[in-house]
Amino acid sequence: MSELVFYVNGKKIVEKNPSPTTLLADVLRYKLKLTGTKVSCGEGGCGSCTVMVSWFDRSTSKILHYSVNACIVPICLLHGLAVTTVEAVGSTKTRLHELQERLVSGHGIQCGFCTPGMVMSMYALLRSNPVPTELQIEHALKGNLCRCTGYRPILDAFRSFSKDSGCPMGDRCCRNKDKKNSSDVVENCNENKNESDMGKQELIFPSELQLSDVYDQQTLEFKSDEVTWLRPVCLKDLLLLKKQHPEALLAAGGTNVAFYLRNASREKPLVIIATTHITELRSFEENEDGFLVGAMTSMTLLENKLMSLIDKHSETKTRLYHSLLDALCLFGSPQIRNRATIGGSLATASRLADVNVLLLAAGSHVKIASTDGEREVKIHDFFTGKSTTCLKPNEVITDVLLPFSTQDEYCGFYKQSPRKDLTLADVNAGLLMEFEAKNSSTVKNAFFAFGGLSSMLAVAKKSSSFVIGRKLDGSLLNELMLSLANELDQFVSGDDAKSFKVAVAQGFMFKFFLKISHQRFPKLEFLRLFKEEERYLLSSQADLQQKHSGVQVYDIITNQSETDSVGQPVPHRYAKQCATGEAVFIDDILPSQGELYLTLVTSTKASAKILKIDPSKALAMKGVVGFLDHTSIISSNKTGLYLDEEIFATEKVDFVGQTIGAVVAESHEIARKAARAVVIEYEELQPITTIEDAISHNSFHSWPGDMGAINYGNVSKAFGSCDHVIEGELKVGSQEHFYMETNSVRVVPKGEDGEMDVYCGTQYGAGLQNLVASTLNVPCNKIYVHTKRMGGSFGGKEFRSYLITLPSALAAHKFNRPVRCALERRQDMQITGYRRAYLAKFKVGFNNNGKVMALDLDMYSNDGFHPEYSAGFMGQSLFYSDNCYAIPNIYVRGHLCKTNLPPTAAMRGAGVPQGLVICEYWMTRVAEFLKRPQHKIREVNMYRGGDVTFISVPIEDSMTRCFDEVLKQSNYEQALVNIENFNQQSAFLKKGIAVTPVKFSPGLPPSWCMAGAIVNVYLDGSVLLYHGGVESGQGLHTKMIQIASRVFDLSIDKIHISETSTGVIPNSVTTGGSSGTDLNGGAVLDACNQLMARLKPIKDSNPNGKWEDWVKTANEQKINLSASGYYSHAYKEDFDWKTGKGRPYSYYTYGSAVTQVEIDCLSGSYVILKVDIVMDVGKSLNPAIDVGQIEGAFVMGTGLYALEEHLFGANGHLETSGAGKYHIPTISSIPLEMNVSLLKDCGNPQAVYSSKGIGEPPLLLSNSVFFAIENAVIAARRQAGLSPDFAFNSPATTKQIQSACGLGPQHLLKSLVT
């Protein structure tokens, strides 16, 4: 067996016969204890695990640096390479790297879980390109997801390194040396502006790897029970190995190998042959036919080579290469492109691979070798079926010929996907057309290939042949569209997206025709096109990449003490720790000796009886310690909010993902593998999975008490006197939290008296404490729940954290050893809850002036099998059914559908996002019916300051101030005119605009509106602060420290918060509802005021003394320097559902947003051009944090309303599971321009220092994206002569947009010049 040698952060690592199944992230985290590298998705789809890999390229004598996803890189691929993790970039113990400093000061960190990955992506770019462009920076970050920030502050911080940005030296820039007072100017700073101090602390590449090629020349063999890993170093040896192991997988870039390594169901041992060091497969050769590329060429290297060739040769000769750059621009992520190879892409024969479909159209050739010899195959013959090729078991791809284009040959690549980055195609296309002699319009040859239409790449042979011999004109295009429709229809039979895919393919062909006509026959002009529309349709994918920008406007208080930080844009208190990877999350806690790992065994059926549970195979595995199920229960098996759920299912399962048992083992890997080996036998029953099913089966959860309906005014009478009455429906899809840190827990028995420490990322420690105590049959004072921070939560860790905590506590009790459980992403998504899907049926009465007089509304929510918080959140939907509008007569009802889906959970906004978009939807329908501007109808119906809502909450004038201000800020009236003019001229691009207001009351139910805090002052003057809220990235701890800093007039550097613990602050309520600052801030303020009252006599007697002096004197005088603060909201009313009287909220946070979008009617894709937001946050405690919450919430809401499809199948399985299938916004999804202003001269006497809760209200404003898109679709339908009355549901996906626009071939061809 061989030794594996590689370097990590400059340290040589030698592994004797490592397991081939081990991944880099596991070695970094569990062996080397470098936990700065996070694991979030486990499939290379989020970037949290990004590290830099470096190697010495002996062909160029250069050190190359590139970013990779550590969670999918097999450790055996790293022989002779150097890995750099975030720990080596910078440290709070020494110094931060410049890029970390800028990210911190630029407020680009919230929860911080994604931050190390962001840092490493940027770091790898700077090591390769010290002065990148702004677009290169954005491009480098497209493989990194963030659920908190909305990306803008991250981009702004990193953009400062760009050659396009201003000098980071500011006034000290060398360009100012001729100005007065320039003594502090830096010489030649522009030449090194992005390396100011960076080069001084960079890790040096290991000299051993640079000076010697010994590791490059070593053949390797590693073995485990299941996998054999072989690495030859020459083609001859590779071919011999492939002959010996014809079933072996080849690992080139290794981007897919990790998925095979995790497959526990293989029938025989797996053999993997790594081809990374075979120089013959890394060659390049330019000949008269084209460019011969070695199969081991990475997509990134191919990209660079193609750009060099484009610079070297004429445009006509490199047309294919231009199209390949288009494909590579959208291929995976930078981390994937750095590893994935062209040979690997071809060998997978994926129907969706972007490069494959273009090479197929271009007629590339593939060179193949084996011990029997070499052969060359036309790529048309290479692909033979579904994921199959003509490769024989003993053959390998050696080279791929990328042909030069001829002067009369044109090609194009096109792709449509749910989002722009990190996403497989819905449909893609490689299109080629060649003409007869120069200037001829007669088609000589054509080849049209499409991906995504069927189980394999589809070649439109009939349509390709149809155009040969024909002249390029409008008639041909017309007939070709019909031919394509008929031919492609057979490929997509049975696909529910059939019409969408065919229409998109036709749109591709239309764009290709347009491209050819303008390149070859610029004077032909058989298409009428608006100038901007022409630019878009003719641009390459690379040319369409645009930079993002934004402006943030807020006041900073200047007339206060230097140490008073309230109102100041202070960075997140623990941002430096997050930027360096030092911030400790649950699974980062180093394990104790003997620590065990738990994995849940969950149901694979949505409704079934359990016939048998057999863990024998799992228990027989080495390293498995035990198995738990319902027979392991100590006390009661009942749990959940209403004690209607089981910790472990006994006789029946009611949804996929329901816990049946748990495996306990000595490692995560063993536990997960063993859990898959547990055999469960079922007797399946018929499940109910949709709202429509529930309605037809009369399957509903019951409402507690009199809840469920509000009847205000006299709706029936009002309808009789209205000028108009309309009815309609709207569906609102569900949404996954997709917090970056999955649910994790660590339970540690303390060894005596039944005590246990529970380390858990939970929003509701006291609730979890109660459940654990009940499960173990011990009092609560023996259970201590600790939460230091969470990598995002958004409501998803409020209650259902018990799913992993209770089994872990039982295991810790049974084995008397620490137990931890960290859910894998897919399991977390299946079992932990999500935002509810809604169906609304409305009837609205209104008059000719647009004034709405009556609303009758039914809302149905899909609440899964157990009604966790269902009534409360539907109650919120009912309370907000008016949004910001004064409706004199309202009758609204909620229906809680009981289905065989996992229980839903709290999620940012908790019922309000659905209620508001429903309200704005019917308001938009009123405007469309009356043919009046939407903003005018909204203005007519809006509450005014001093009004009282139908649930008796008073309205402040800041509601209308926000609305008026955002119209002014966005220049709304002029924007309307510009958009109307654009839409009249543009046939295929349409713009839309919408403005929506919002009111949202931060808070919890009145009985929960309380909080506690403890503030300890130590003899050195330092302060330790505890409160009942938890930090999940929203800046709660930072604001608490700021409050204390004001009361004590003390620098924030002297104040510390360690964690949230039920052992310190008892009976705390959940951190949610945007109430964390209001409640906990009140408690902190109370405790600090108590201490200052005790110190007042000492300060009065020594007014010139320092804080430390006063503290020392107080201690000498035996004054207690610890205070316990408490706060309960003075507002104690509640809403009486029976009478419809009462006031459930104390105040509202207000805001308004204007969104402008542009949609491509041919494909359904869209760009958010501009967003303007004005928010009333009272007197902001920290405007930078509040702006960050606004931007992050808005982008999350954009996902809800316009991107994220959260879909369950009829069998109850989540079909959009994992980062690859569930698409949250990426950097490319955010507005190109996003301007945020905090409304001036606002206050709020009901919260600490006149602030307002801000975590959730901005999310609601993002429904303006949905309505702007709909506005653009309406313009398209109007042009097509289609009815403005059409179904348009949330989210506004590309499929729905394209279908709703209705621009089929018959409408496309109306643009032809007759």
Side-chain angles (χ1 to χ4, degrees):
M1 296 299 109
S2 309
E3 281 188 342
L4 176 70
V5 179
F6 61 103
Y7 281 76
V8 175
N9 298 340
K11 179 182 177 181
K12 187 174 182 177
I13 308 296
V14 180
E15 291 276 332
K16 295 184 182 298
N17 193 33
S19 169
T21 62
T22 303
L23 303 175
L24 174 56
D26 297 330
V27 171
L28 295 176
R29 292 181 55 80
Y30 304 130
K31 182 167 185 176
L32 302 179
K33 313 303 181 189
L34 297 172
T35 56
T37 301
K38 310 301 181 191
V39 174
S40 178
C41 72
E43 54 186 75
C46 73
S48 294
C49 64
T50 301
V51 298
M52 184 177 79
V53 171
S54 307
W55 67 291
F56 186 70
D57 184 355
R58 303 195 186 281
S59 65
T60 61
S61 297
K62 290 183 179 180
I63 301 169
L64 303 181
H65 309 283
Y66 51 92
S67 57
V68 303
N69 297 118
C71 73
I72 58 170
V73 174
I75 196 73
C76 295
L77 278 175
L78 296 174
H79 191 68
L81 305 182
V83 177
T84 304
T85 72
V86 69
E87 286 88 350
V89 175
S91 168
T92 60
K93 298 174 183 177
T94 53
R95 59 178 297 188
L96 266 64
H97 191 283
E98 184 68 20
L99 74 87
Q100 294 167 321
E101 288 278 11
R102 296 188 196 181
L103 190 59
V104 170
S105 61
H107 309 285
I109 300 169
Q110 289 188 22
C111 86
F113 197 85
C114 73
T115 304
M118 293 282 184
V119 167
M120 293 312 300
S121 286
M122 185 64 189
Y123 182 73
L125 173 65
L126 293 178
R127 289 298 299 268
S128 301
N129 181 4
V131 191
T133 66
E134 291 187 17
L135 277 175
Q136 285 171 334
I137 290 171
E138 292 202 15
H139 202 56
L141 297 176
K142 287 183 176 180
N144 294 77
L145 299 181
C146 175
R147 195 58 150 164
C148 296
T149 65
Y151 300 103
R152 193 277 311 162
I154 299 172
L155 287 174
D156 278 1
F158 289 159
R159 194 177 282 129
S160 64
F161 290 97
S162 166
K163 65 173 66 175
D164 310 321
S165 71
C167 178
M169 294 297 103
D171 292 337
R172 298 175 63 209
C173 176
C174 60
R175 295 173 182 172
N176 297 328
K177 63 184 177 182
D178 295 329
K179 296 182 180 179
K180 294 181 179 180
N181 303 318
S182 59
S183 59
D184 197 28
V185 159
V186 178
E187 289 293 328
N188 300 319
C189 63
N190 191 53
E191 294 178 10
N192 303 295
K193 70 175 187 174
N194 294 318
E195 301 176 83
S196 44
D197 279 323
M198 286 167 33
K200 299 177 182 178
Q201 65 183 104
E202 308 300 8
L203 202 64
I204 298 173
F205 185 76
S207 58
E208 180 190 19
L209 302 183
Q210 186 168 351
L211 298 175
S212 171
D213 67 350
V214 61
Y215 299 123
D216 299 343
Q217 301 303 320
Q218 290 178 334
T219 58
L220 303 175
E221 181 178 357
F222 306 115
K223 278 191 174 184
S224 69
D225 293 339
E226 296 182 327
V227 180
T228 297
W229 184 285
L230 304 170
R231 191 191 81 169
V233 292
C234 67
L235 182 59
K236 179 181 178 182
D237 289 347
L238 169 63
L239 299 180
L240 286 172
L241 287 174
K242 200 69 172 77
K243 182 178 181 180
Q244 295 169 21
H245 306 282
E247 78 290 349
L249 293 175
L250 299 187
T255 54
N256 281 328
V257 170
F259 301 99
Y260 289 101
L261 295 178
R262 292 189 186 122
N263 183 6
S265 61
R266 65 180 69 94
E267 297 179 357
K268 57 182 179 179
L270 179 66
V271 177
I272 297 175
I273 304 174
T275 60
T276 51
H277 284 66
I278 299 175
T279 55
E280 296 100 319
L281 301 185
R282 306 178 72 90
S283 62
F284 302 98
E285 179 187 330
E286 184 181 337
N287 57 40
E288 61 181 13
D289 295 322
F291 189 49
L292 196 62
V293 179
M296 261 296 298
T297 303
S298 72
M299 298 301 184
T300 297
L301 183 56
L302 177 60
E303 207 170 359
N304 296 333
K305 293 289 185 181
L306 291 175
M307 286 189 282
S308 297
L309 288 168
I310 287 170
D311 290 339
K312 178 180 177 181
H313 295 289
S314 67
E315 181 274 335
T316 56
K317 198 171 186 178
T318 58
R319 284 174 183 151
L320 170 62
Y321 302 163
H322 280 280
S323 295
L324 272 170
L325 286 180
D326 275 354
L328 292 172
C329 177
L330 301 175
F331 184 98
S333 67
Q335 293 94 320
I336 297 297
R337 288 194 292 275
N338 289 336
R339 298 292 301 173
T341 64
I342 187 168
S345 178
L346 290 174
T348 60
S350 169
R351 68 189 183 97
L352 298 174
D354 298 330
V355 171
N356 294 4
V357 72
L358 182 57
L359 295 183
L360 180 61
S364 299
H365 287 219
V366 182
K367 288 194 172 184
I368 297 169
S370 71
T371 52
D372 299 328
E374 298 181 352
R375 62 188 179 115
E376 186 171 322
V377 179
K378 292 182 179 180
I379 199 166
H380 305 155
D381 301 319
F382 180 79
F383 298 117
T384 57
K386 180 181 178 181
S387 300
T388 59
T389 69
C390 70
L391 284 172
K392 298 173 183 177
N394 65 330
E395 290 182 322
V396 300
I397 301 171
T398 59
D399 303 277
V400 181
L401 176 67
L402 309 179
F404 287 126
S405 301
T406 67
Q407 185 175 354
D408 301 303
E409 194 174 55
Y410 300 83
C411 60
F413 170 78
Y414 302 91
K415 178 178 181 177
Q416 176 56 36
S417 55
R419 68 179 178 198
K420 293 180 182 177
D421 306 313
L422 280 171
T423 313
L424 293 173
D426 284 328
V427 188
N428 57 17
L431 307 176
L432 179 135
M433 201 176 287
E434 184 182 7
F435 292 85
E436 299 286 358
K438 186 177 180 181
N439 298 325
S440 169
S441 63
T442 302
V443 180
K444 178 182 180 182
N445 185 37
F447 199 95
F448 307 144
F450 298 90
L453 299 182
S454 64
S455 60
M456 57 184 289
L457 291 173
V459 177
K461 294 181 180 180
K462 292 180 181 178
S463 298
S464 300
S465 300
F466 175 78
V467 301
I468 296 175
R470 299 286 301 274
K471 287 190 174 183
L472 185 82
D473 56 20
S475 175
L476 175 61
L477 178 58
N478 187 10
E479 295 176 46
L480 177 58
M481 286 294 186
L482 298 175
S483 173
L484 264 183
N486 293 330
E487 186 171 8
L488 298 184
D489 189 74
Q490 63 185 339
F491 287 111
V492 289
S493 59
D495 192 324
D496 58 359
K498 179 176 181 176
S499 60
F500 161 74
K501 290 186 175 183
V502 171
V504 167
Q506 289 176 309
F508 290 163
M509 184 61 69
F510 181 79
K511 292 178 183 178
F512 184 52
F513 238 79
L514 180 64
K515 174 182 176 180
I516 296 174
S517 67
H518 278 255
Q519 284 184 350
R520 188 171 180 86
F521 311 110
K523 295 182 180 180
L524 185 60
E525 293 186 355
F526 65 83
L527 292 169
R528 296 190 188 98
L529 287 172
F530 182 40
K531 184 176 181 181
E532 187 170 341
E533 179 178 41
E534 181 177 307
R535 174 200 59 77
Y536 169 81
L537 292 173
L538 295 178
S539 294
S540 67
Q541 294 292 340
D543 291 338
L544 289 174
Q545 306 301 309
Q546 299 182 64
K547 296 184 292 187
H548 298 80
S549 64
V551 174
Q552 304 80 47
V553 179
Y554 51 80
D555 288 334
I556 298 177
I557 303 171
T558 56
N559 57 340
Q560 64 187 40
S561 164
E562 289 185 4
T563 54
D564 179 3
S565 62
V566 169
Q568 302 301 314
V570 177
H572 193 291
R573 181 65 178 82
Y574 303 102
K576 291 183 179 180
Q577 289 85 340
C578 294
T580 58
E582 297 165 24
V584 177
F585 295 86
I586 298 301
D587 203 32
D588 297 338
I589 300 173
L590 296 181
S592 304
Q593 186 174 1
E595 187 153 331
L596 300 174
Y597 298 81
L598 180 142
T599 296
L600 299 179
V601 176
T602 59
S603 169
T604 59
K605 306 299 179 184
S607 180
K609 295 178 182 178
I610 298 174
L611 302 180
K612 181 182 179 182
I613 302 173
D614 181 7
S616 57
K617 289 183 180 179
L619 290 171
M621 292 181 179
K622 183 179 179 180
V624 173
V625 175
F627 176 76
L628 305 179
D629 62 9
H630 64 91
T631 62
S632 308
I633 294 297
I634 298 171
S635 179
S636 171
N637 194 31
K638 291 294 184 181
T639 190
L641 187 64
Y642 302 112
L643 296 180
D644 62 339
E645 300 186 55
E646 293 181 315
I647 300 173
F648 296 115
T650 53
E651 299 176 348
K652 186 175 179 289
V653 290
D654 299 299
F655 52 90
V656 175
Q658 184 173 350
T659 304
I660 296 174
V663 171
V664 184
E666 293 176 351
S667 74
H668 275 313
E669 183 181 0
I670 295 171
R672 289 165 178 167
K673 181 179 177 181
R676 292 191 288 266
V678 176
V679 176
I680 313 291
E681 293 182 5
Y682 305 92
E683 179 186 327
E684 286 194 68
L685 306 173
Q686 183 63 42
I688 296 171
T689 58
T690 67
I691 290 175
E692 291 78 6
D693 285 346
I695 293 172
S696 65
H697 288 83
N698 196 31
S699 179
F700 298 100
H701 296 294
S702 59
W703 282 90
D706 298 304
M707 290 181 69
I710 302 175
N711 197 344
Y712 177 82
N714 191 325
V715 172
S716 299
K717 183 178 179 181
F719 276 129
S721 60
C722 291
D723 295 330
H724 308 285
V725 176
I726 60 174
E727 298 184 43
E729 290 188 3
L730 177 68
K731 294 179 180 179
V732 184
S734 51
Q735 184 182 29
E736 163 63 26
H737 302 87
F738 212 95
Y739 29 68
M740 299 310 294
E741 177 195 27
T742 61
N743 271 279
S744 306
V745 69
R746 180 173 182 260
V747 182
V748 182
K750 297 182 70 115
E752 62 175 278
D753 215 15
E755 291 183 314
M756 276 195 183
D757 282 317
V758 178
Y759 300 90
C760 184
T762 177
Q763 297 170 243
Y764 189 17
L768 193 62
Q769 176 191 38
N770 279 305
L771 288 175
V772 173
S774 173
T775 299
L776 298 180
N777 199 24
V778 299
C780 285
N781 63 2
K782 304 289 181 68
I783 306 297
Y784 319 111
V785 178
H786 308 264
T787 303
K788 192 171 186 70
R789 60 174 58 85
M790 294 184 289
S793 55
F794 316 114
K797 297 174 183 176
E798 181 172 21
F799 195 72
R800 300 200 69 77
S801 302
Y802 80 82
L803 288 170
I804 58 173
T805 304
L806 301 187
S808 298
L810 285 165
H813 173 84
K814 179 174 181 178
F815 300 108
N816 198 30
R817 292 162 68 177
V819 174
R820 78 170 65 200
C821 177
L823 290 179
E824 294 182 288
R825 173 63 61 182
R826 290 173 182 266
Q827 189 174 43
D828 188 286
M829 293 181 70
Q830 178 70 52
I831 74 175
T832 60
Y834 46 91
R835 192 190 298 279
R836 296 152 174 79
Y838 271 45
L839 167 65
K841 300 183 179 184
F842 60 84
K843 180 179 178 182
V844 182
F846 52 96
N847 291 331
N848 290 325
N849 64 356
K851 176 63 180 172
V852 174
M853 302 305 297
L855 169 66
D856 185 272
L857 173 65
D858 281 290
M859 287 186 278
Y860 299 84
S861 59
N862 191 333
D863 288 283
F865 196 78
H866 296 287
E868 182 183 308
Y869 292 132
S870 298
F873 296 151
M874 176 58 83
Q876 288 278 87
S877 300
L878 299 179
F879 287 158
Y880 285 91
S881 57
D882 63 337
N883 192 12
C884 295
Y885 309 114
I887 306 169
N889 304 281
I890 299 178
Y891 186 26
V892 290
R893 300 164 297 281
H895 310 273
L896 314 176
C897 297
K898 182 177 182 179
T899 62
N900 292 107
L901 295 184
T904 54
M907 187 168 181
R908 203 173 195 171
V912 182
Q914 299 96 320
L916 252 69
V917 74
I918 291 166
C919 175
E920 294 297 338
Y921 185 80
W922 59 251
M923 186 64 73
T924 303
R925 302 284 69 73
V926 171
E928 288 300 316
F929 182 91
L930 294 173
K931 295 181 172 56
R932 292 186 57 190
Q934 295 179 15
H935 72 292
K936 294 295 184 183
I937 298 300
R938 287 178 167 86
E939 284 179 327
V940 166
N941 287 285
M942 283 184 74
Y943 288 113
R944 297 294 183 265
D947 287 351
V948 177
T949 70
F950 79 114
I951 52 173
S952 306
V953 183
I955 297 294
E956 302 163 63
D957 64 2
S958 54
M959 173 194 280
T960 51
R961 286 181 58 208
C962 286
F963 193 80
D964 295 340
E965 190 66 29
V966 82
L967 292 177
K968 180 180 177 182
Q969 176 179 304
S970 63
N971 199 5
Y972 187 87
E973 296 284 357
Q974 185 59 51
L976 271 180
V977 173
N978 295 343
I979 287 172
E980 181 63 27
N981 290 338
F982 178 92
N983 288 341
Q984 287 179 359
Q985 299 176 78
S986 175
F988 311 114
L989 294 181
K990 296 296 180 184
K991 291 185 178 181
I993 188 170
V995 56
T996 55
V998 66
K999 63 172 173 40
F1000 182 93
S1001 176
L1004 300 169
S1007 60
W1008 281 23
C1009 289
M1010 54 190 174
I1014 289 178
V1015 179
N1016 298 329
V1017 181
Y1018 295 91
L1019 294 183
D1020 63 354
S1022 63
V1023 177
L1024 179 62
L1025 193 159
Y1026 286 95
H1027 62 92
V1030 294
E1031 176 63 54
S1032 62
Q1034 81 279 46
L1036 179 59
H1037 283 352
T1038 306
K1039 288 184 175 181
M1040 297 303 99
I1041 289 172
Q1042 288 179 274
I1043 291 168
S1045 84
R1046 166 168 282 188
V1047 179
F1048 294 148
D1049 198 14
L1050 189 64
S1051 168
I1052 60 174
D1053 295 329
K1054 300 278 286 184
I1055 306 169
H1056 180 65
I1057 297 176
S1058 174
E1059 66 172 5
T1060 303
S1061 172
T1062 60
V1064 180
I1065 305 296
N1067 311 318
S1068 59
V1069 299
T1070 184
T1071 303
S1074 303
S1075 65
T1077 297
D1078 288 5
L1079 300 181
N1080 296 287
V1084 169
L1085 184 63
D1086 179 43
C1088 292
N1089 283 336
Q1090 291 178 44
L1091 287 168
M1092 288 307 293
R1094 297 173 196 171
L1095 292 173
K1096 187 176 186 303
I1098 298 173
K1099 288 183 62 179
D1100 290 344
S1101 64
N1102 183 14
N1104 296 321
K1106 295 181 179 179
W1107 168 260
E1108 291 80 3
D1109 300 329
W1110 302 328
V1111 169
K1112 181 179 179 182
T1113 301
N1115 185 64
E1116 291 170 350
Q1117 294 182 10
K1118 300 179 180 178
I1119 294 175
N1120 186 1
L1121 291 175
S1122 177
S1124 176
Y1126 186 76
Y1127 175 81
S1128 62
H1129 204 296
Y1131 172 72
K1132 302 185 187 310
E1133 292 184 57
D1134 205 345
F1135 187 78
D1136 186 326
W1137 288 86
K1138 186 174 183 178
T1139 63
K1141 306 294 183 182
R1143 175 182 166 183
Y1145 307 128
S1146 59
Y1147 74 87
Y1148 288 121
T1149 296
Y1150 304 101
S1152 288
V1154 171
T1155 294
Q1156 300 178 52
V1157 303
E1158 182 179 270
I1159 66 171
D1160 176 352
C1161 302
L1162 302 176
S1163 67
S1165 61
Y1166 64 88
V1167 176
I1168 305 174
L1169 300 172
K1170 184 184 179 188
V1171 171
D1172 290 277
I1173 296 174
V1174 177
M1175 291 293 304
D1176 163 26
V1177 300
K1179 295 186 184 302
S1180 175
L1181 296 176
N1182 187 320
I1185 284 179
D1186 287 348
V1187 167
Q1189 288 292 289
I1190 292 168
E1191 293 174 328
F1194 188 92
V1195 171
M1196 176 182 274
T1198 298
L1200 167 65
Y1201 295 124
L1203 178 60
E1204 299 172 32
E1205 286 190 286
H1206 187 251
L1207 305 174
F1208 287 95
N1211 60 1
H1213 284 264
L1214 182 62
E1215 294 183 341
T1216 51
S1217 181
K1221 293 184 178 180
Y1222 188 77
H1223 306 128
I1224 72 170
T1226 66
I1227 280 176
S1228 297
S1229 309
I1230 68 174
L1232 293 180
E1233 180 182 348
M1234 189 170 188
N1235 306 313
V1236 178
S1237 297
L1238 303 186
L1239 192 66
K1240 297 181 179 180
D1241 304 319
C1242 296
N1244 178 30
Q1246 301 189 65
V1248 61
Y1249 294 137
S1250 295
S1251 62
K1252 284 188 173 184
I1254 192 58
E1256 292 162 295
L1259 182 141
L1260 313 172
L1261 289 174
S1262 51
N1263 66 50
S1264 61
V1265 176
F1266 174 84
F1267 291 108
I1269 291 172
E1270 187 196 41
N1271 182 249
V1273 170
I1274 289 172
R1277 293 179 66 85
R1278 188 178 296 123
Q1279 172 190 291
L1282 301 175
S1283 168
D1285 185 17
F1286 63 103
F1288 198 71
N1289 295 307
S1290 174
T1293 62
T1294 55
K1295 293 178 184 177
Q1296 185 177 203
I1297 294 168
Q1298 194 282 330
S1299 299
C1301 284
L1303 292 188
Q1306 69 276 22
H1307 300 107
L1308 295 178
L1309 299 171
K1310 285 182 180 179
S1311 298
L1312 297 180
V1313 175
T1314 56

